[in-house]
Amino acid sequence: MNLRHIAAGAALALALPLAACGGSDDSGSGAWTYTDDVGTELSLDAAPERIVAHKDVAVALADMGLGDQVVATFGAPANSDPDLGLQSENLDLEEVEDVTGGGDYGDIDLERLAGLEPDLIITSTFGDDTLWYINDEVAGKLEGSYDIAVLNYEGETVESVLDNAERLATALGAEEADFEEGRTALADVNERLATVASEAGDPSILAVAPSADLLYVANTPAYIDLIHLRDEVGLDLMTPDESDLDEGGYWHNLSWENADFYDPDIAMWDSRGGEANRDMLEDQPVWNGVTAAEEDAYVPWRVETAPSALGYATTFGQFADDLEEIS
């Protein structure tokens, strides 16, 4: 698994317009057509009722009133520290069938999948024609046997993600009223975050992902949650120079000897490895010279977020709580 697989998940861009007028058959019967983000035209005899989805998408569907249609999920194992992982009050992932295979990254248990007889599989892409948590070998076996809707993360914003997620949910049978709670909660938490940051003196924030050999510093424009926090909320997100970025444009890769290249007021650490990631930062002597480390100003970067308004409201609300705690 490369770092792009490790790091991509910060956000979903669910741009799935319907092929004709933007909605499926109003009567709930008859053929269902859909054109996904990569241009695949899906055509089913009826609207999908049995969906297998990547965990993030499954939670988003449940947030928008479609949890009963999710028959299974797949994806990375649950976070070792559940409070830092994917959050949902509407879908208990432990109670839903998991068809993730036991092999390498992107493996799916095809026998268990077949037994569920799904109408539709939903995953996502971060570009380069790769499917999120479906490796090339598995993708080849799925092709021709299952309809797969691919959601694009690349080049989107939180707002466009939510608009398109709601179009997808509407096509699958959700009502506009199913989105209202999340939209209201997200608007409220945006205001709260701006207030918390202002009261804390508008600190500079650096999003990082530690590893054994390198410190990866996130490129803000590559992650829609960071873009939102910077552009819509007004937080001071530090951003690497373009000339310092890796080939994918996601990170500035620093050796631990150069871990003090940036001097943020607050370190926003990638929580997908659980508290062990924060521990890794705290064990590095050069890093411990930056302001955030000296002030013990750490907040989790909860990358695992459902692409629904309620999902982002939950994640950003937790971020506001974390900021308040260290301010």
Side-chain angles (χ1 to χ4, degrees):
M1 174 168 54
N2 61 34
L3 187 65
R4 184 164 190 163
H5 287 143
I6 296 173
L12 284 176
L14 305 177
L16 292 176
L18 284 170
C21 60
S24 57
D25 185 271
D26 290 337
S27 67
S29 62
W32 186 86
T33 59
Y34 210 90
T35 302
D36 74 4
D37 285 3
V38 297
T40 302
E41 296 182 2
L42 304 173
S43 181
L44 284 71
D45 292 337
E49 295 182 355
R50 298 178 60 79
I51 296 171
V52 173
H54 185 270
K55 293 177 181 179
D56 294 355
V57 181
V59 169
L61 293 175
D63 286 345
M64 294 182 287
L66 300 171
D68 289 344
Q69 293 176 222
V70 177
V71 298
T73 66
F74 59 91
N79 197 300
S80 57
D81 294 300
D83 290 344
L84 298 174
L86 184 63
Q87 304 292 310
S88 175
E89 296 182 356
N90 296 307
L91 185 68
D92 185 346
L93 290 170
E94 294 185 1
E95 296 296 323
V96 180
E97 185 83 12
D98 188 338
V99 296
T100 307
D104 294 334
Y105 166 87
D107 188 29
I108 287 180
D109 188 324
L110 298 177
E111 184 175 347
R112 290 169 66 190
L113 178 68
L116 292 167
E117 299 182 344
D119 300 320
L120 184 67
I121 298 172
I122 307 176
T123 188
S124 52
T125 183
F126 297 94
D128 299 333
D129 298 323
T130 56
L131 301 180
W132 185 236
Y133 229 92
I134 298 178
N135 63 40
D136 291 343
E137 180 181 357
V138 171
K141 294 177 179 178
L142 295 177
E143 187 176 355
S145 298
Y146 300 96
D147 288 286
I148 304 175
V150 180
L151 320 175
N152 177 49
Y153 287 37
E154 194 83 8
E156 297 288 343
T157 67
V158 166
E159 187 62 29
S160 65
V161 162
L162 300 183
D163 287 343
N164 292 308
E166 290 166 4
R167 287 198 295 272
L168 168 60
T170 300
L172 294 171
E175 302 290 339
E176 186 173 345
D178 295 320
F179 316 142
E180 293 175 357
E181 177 187 357
R183 286 287 189 170
T184 299
L186 182 57
D188 290 345
V189 81
N190 284 341
E191 293 184 9
R192 180 184 168 214
L193 263 174
T195 299
V196 170
S198 178
E199 291 177 348
D202 292 318
S204 59
I205 302 171
L206 188 70
V208 297
S211 72
D213 299 321
L214 296 172
L215 176 65
Y216 296 95
V217 176
N219 179 30
T220 299
Y223 298 92
I224 65 172
D225 54 344
L226 301 184
I227 294 171
H228 184 86
L229 292 173
R230 183 192 66 185
D231 295 349
E232 302 302 323
V233 179
L235 303 189
D236 182 8
L237 268 293
M238 301 178 75
T239 302
D241 290 337
E242 187 173 350
S243 60
D244 291 327
L245 297 176
D246 61 10
E247 183 177 351
Y250 282 85
W251 306 100
H252 180 191
N253 304 339
L254 295 172
S255 67
W256 285 112
E257 290 79 10
N258 293 312
D260 59 354
F261 186 91
Y262 301 91
D263 188 30
D265 297 316
I266 294 174
M268 189 178 181
W269 54 278
D270 188 333
S271 66
R272 280 172 291 181
E275 289 286 350
N277 276 4
R278 173 171 172 166
D279 294 342
M280 196 181 303
L281 282 171
E282 293 178 328
D283 287 342
Q284 294 296 328
V286 175
W287 167 261
N288 280 323
V290 306
T291 299
E294 291 178 341
E295 298 296 327
D296 197 29
Y298 292 100
V299 295
W301 177 18
R302 291 180 170 87
V303 178
E304 297 172 282
T305 298
S308 64
L310 192 58
Y312 278 105
T314 299
T315 293
F316 292 154
Q318 291 170 316
F319 183 48
D321 293 342
D322 296 330
L323 283 179
E324 283 186 326
E325 188 174 332
I326 65 171
S327 298

